[in-house]
């Protein structure tokens, strides 16, 4: 690829690219949250064991890590628009096929196909922002992270009623293939325009493997992993914890919904605010403090003060849009952003996969939520340390120096 940066006006038109960005982001969690809403019905309908159901709930971060690490290589070899189109086609096929399968093993395999599409989309999005919108990193990151949050919340909320209206859980899951198919349209249309070029200094390409030598890359990866570990753990275990504290199933579900909904204002605000200041350490410290206060409250008084503790934990979850905007900010080029996105999300999601399993195992072993919450609070130490490293201005290219100067192919 040559060494200039594409602009929205030159490639595909700004509105078409924005529409494509929004539609991809809206679909980046539907395969996960729609399944969570109807998992008991899926188990009954397919005769699925609890072991297989547990595998389904934990396979997402593993798939994100394994497939995500290959995405920068795909972006180097193919047009980014083609990569995103292929990701949405895989998602569409996976969602459609799993809604008609009659065997548990086939349901798992088709879910993996859908998740592979999501994994590619996850890593490609920061590259997309850096490539097409280098002067609007904050607003565009806000737009796509907010769209992601809205898509996740909507699919969780309406999959059950959609299924009831159209004939059951298969229809509820399968209808999300329609929204995924819609996300292919803008990218099909942009392929009619000239291909973009990725900014690469002196003809240099950035490989994911090179980032093992970057202090900034490791810090972003740990920050991404710790925030994802905490988010996945709370999404999986907050409702059972609150029910054990005396909340009804409905009340606990509403508080879980509150925790999830708080991601939307964070997605709108944090990326825009982050690009206005060169150093993010103060913001990271405040969000870490919110998590710590929320966990302390849930450990000491999960009944009466639960609303406050959940709100504080929800504010802590604003680390997600912050770390996503750090990916393009801590890379000088779209090629660097692609490599950093693949590296940080692959390492991060592997870390995240441990959280829900260990948290639940700790509760089963000890019969209490207190110690698991203490351990979750301790994860804020590496979170803050990583934020202190990648929060100030810097870039992976600056870390690598001469190491980044590998011949392009």
């Amino acid at each position: 690829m040559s060494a200039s940066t594409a602009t929205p006006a030159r490639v595909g038109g700004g509105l078409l690219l924005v529409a494509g960005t929004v539609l991809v982001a809206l679909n980046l969690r539907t395969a996960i949250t729609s399944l969570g809403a109807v998992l008991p019905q899926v188990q009954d309908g397919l005769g699925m064991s609890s072991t297989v159901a547990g595998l389904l709930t934990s396979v997402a971060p593993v798939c994100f890590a394994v497939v995500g690490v290959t995405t920068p290589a795909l972006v180097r070899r193919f047009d980014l628009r083609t990569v995103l189109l292929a990701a949405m086609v895989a998602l569409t096929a996976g969602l459609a096929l799993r809604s008609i399968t009659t065997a548990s093993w086939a349901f798992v395999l088709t879910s993996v196909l859908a998740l592979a599409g999501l994994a590619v989309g996850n890593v490609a999005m920061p590259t997309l922002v850096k490539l097409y919108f280098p002067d609007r990193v904050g607003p565009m990151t806000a737009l796509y992270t907010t769209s992601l949050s809205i898509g996740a919340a909507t699919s969780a909320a309406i999959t059950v009623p959609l299924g009831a209206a159209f004939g059951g859980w298969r229809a509820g899951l399968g209808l999300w293939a329609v929204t995924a198919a819609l996300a292919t349209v803008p990218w099909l249309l942009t392929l009619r325009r000239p291909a973009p070029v990725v900014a690469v200094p002196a003809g240099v390409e950035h490989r994911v493997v090179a980032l093992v030598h970057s202090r900034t890359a490791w810090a972003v990866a740990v920050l991404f992993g710790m925030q994802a570990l905490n988010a996945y753990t709370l999404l999986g275990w907050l409702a059972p914890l609150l029910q054990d504290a005396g909340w009804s199933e409905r009340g606990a579900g509403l508080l879980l919904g509150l925790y999830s909904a708080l991601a939307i204002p964070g997605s709108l605000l944090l990326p825009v605010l982050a690009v206005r200041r060169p150093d993010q350490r103060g913001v990271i410290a405040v969000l870490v403090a919110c998590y710590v206060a929320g966990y302390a409250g849930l450990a000491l008084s999960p009944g009466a003060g639960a609303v406050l503790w959940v709100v504080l934990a929800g504010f802590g979850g604003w680390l997600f849009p912050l770390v996503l905007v750090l990916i393009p900010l801590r890379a000088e080029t779209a090629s660097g952003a692609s490599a950093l996105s693949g590296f940080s999300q692959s390492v991060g999601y592997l870390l995240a996969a441990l959280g829900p399993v260990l948290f639940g195992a700790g509760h089963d072993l000890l019969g209490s939520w207190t110690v698991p919450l203490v351990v979750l609070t301790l994860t804020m130490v590496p979170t803050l340390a990583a934020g202190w490293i990648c929060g100030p201005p810097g870039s992976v290219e600056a870390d690598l120096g001469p190491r980044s100067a590998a011949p392009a192919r």
Side-chain angles (χ1 to χ4, degrees), residues 76-368:
R76 286 197 306 272
R77 179 162 183 154
F78 304 103
D79 187 329
L80 177 59
R81 299 168 299 171
T82 303
V83 172
L84 282 166
L85 174 61
M88 292 300 99
V89 169
L91 175 60
T92 302
L95 291 174
L97 290 172
R98 81 173 181 180
S99 70
I100 61 174
T101 187
T102 58
S104 293
W105 64 266
F107 192 92
V108 172
L109 289 180
T110 51
S111 292
V112 168
L113 176 60
L115 291 170
L118 296 188
V120 172
N122 282 338
V123 175
M125 291 300 275
T127 312
L128 174 72
V129 171
K130 188 72 172 181
L131 175 60
Y132 290 123
F133 307 98
D135 300 323
R136 285 170 279 172
V137 167
M140 286 306 299
T141 303
L143 179 64
Y144 94 74
T145 55
T146 302
S147 300
L148 187 154
S149 298
I150 291 172
T154 302
S155 60
I158 70 173
T159 296
V160 171
L162 280 175
F166 292 99
W169 64 266
R170 292 184 184 277
L173 291 180
L175 286 171
W176 295 108
V178 177
T179 64
L182 289 174
T184 66
V185 175
W187 301 106
L188 281 169
L189 295 176
T190 62
L191 288 176
R192 300 168 56 190
R193 305 297 182 100
V197 289
V198 178
V200 183
V204 173
E205 296 281 8
H206 298 285
R207 303 303 203 264
V208 172
V209 68
L211 297 193
V212 299
H213 303 290
S214 168
R215 183 170 177 259
T216 300
W218 278 109
V220 173
V222 171
L223 183 62
F224 188 97
M226 289 298 99
Q227 65 78 25
L229 182 150
N230 281 270
Y232 274 84
T233 301
L234 286 177
L235 289 171
W237 291 107
L238 180 60
L241 184 157
L242 292 171
Q243 289 178 48
D244 284 354
W247 285 79
S248 67
E249 183 176 347
R250 176 181 174 82
L254 287 173
L255 285 179
L256 178 60
L258 173 63
Y259 170 78
S260 300
L262 283 169
I264 296 174
S267 297
L268 280 169
L269 294 173
L270 259 293
V272 176
L273 295 176
V275 299
R276 295 180 180 175
R277 49 190 303 147
D279 193 328
Q280 311 304 324
R281 286 177 292 185
V283 178
I284 292 169
V286 170
L287 299 180
V288 165
C290 288
Y291 257 137
V292 171
Y295 290 156
L298 288 172
L300 297 173
S301 180
V307 174
L308 175 60
W309 314 137
V310 168
V311 168
L312 286 169
F315 289 154
W318 289 10
L319 282 169
F320 176 61
L322 179 61
V323 73
L324 284 180
V325 80
L326 278 177
I327 292 173
L329 288 179
R330 294 301 174 258
E332 297 172 15
T333 64
S335 179
S338 177
L340 180 57
S341 184
F343 181 83
S344 60
Q345 294 199 47
S346 295
V347 172
Y349 278 121
L350 285 177
L351 292 173
L354 299 174
V357 175
L358 295 179
F359 193 84
H363 175 262
D364 289 344
L365 180 65
L366 301 171
S368 167

